[in-house]
Amino acid sequence: MRTLISTAFISLDGVVEGPGGEPGYRNSGWTFKDVDFVAEAFDIKAREQKESAAMLLGRTSYEAFSPVWPDMADFADYKAMPKYVVSTTLTDADLVSNWGDTTILRSLDDVAALKETEGGPIIVHGSAALNHSLSDAGLIDRYHLLVFPLLLGAGKRLFSTTDKDTQKLKLVEHEAYANGLQKNVFDVVR
């Protein structure tokens, strides 16, 4: 079975919305406007590209990333790997042509089936609503979190508010940086 990894920039109060300056969010750009840059805190991002074999996105994140990421040197390794977009509304005509093979998945059952295929880890970027659904369905195996020392208040959250049984996590890697960022890697305990 393939490992499904959710990766996120997240504020201390759980917000994942607008980290890179996306329009429409009051605190947009909080990852670079409000915290000093420390390069080694972002080493995990380069490692994710090298270790992942596929990328999974929700429709909203796909529509935000696909016009920009294909031409960015920082995301070159993602260009060649297969991408999967979970959406009930996208069509093949909506997909960009310069970002490699992209497959539309229509349901969480399709995601579960993808996890059963041969291959390496599948990384999930952004995709707050998809993360909620994946977590609630027990499909996420690992979290890569860069926790920013900020309280943002309102905004999209990484974790679902569904009333459910406790989900235990095991901390498998962590580091704190001089700027207050924390890297936390958790495996989901089954």
Side-chain angles (χ1 to χ4, degrees), residues 3-4 16 18 24 29 34 62 74 82 92-93 101 107 124-125 127 133 156 166 171 181 184 186:
T3 302
L4 187 63
V16 293
D34 299 314
Y62 177 81
D74 287 345
D92 287 337
D101 291 337
S107 68
V124 181
H125 282 278
S127 308
S133 298
K156 292 179 184 175
T166 301
L171 184 66
L181 248 62
N184 293 306
F186 293 100

Side-chain angles (χ1 to χ4, degrees), residues 7-10 15-33 57 59-69 72 75 125-128 148 152 155-156:
T7 182
F9 295 140
I10 186 168
V15 174
V16 293
E17 186 170 356
E22 299 81 358
Y25 176 57
R26 176 183 180 172
N27 294 314
S28 190
W30 50 270
T31 58
F32 59 87
K33 288 194 312 191
L57 298 164
R59 179 195 49 82
T60 302
S61 291
Y62 177 81
E63 289 175 342
F65 298 159
S66 65
V68 181
W69 282 23
M72 290 181 68
F75 301 114
H125 282 278
S127 308
F148 284 71
L152 298 175
K156 292 179 184 175

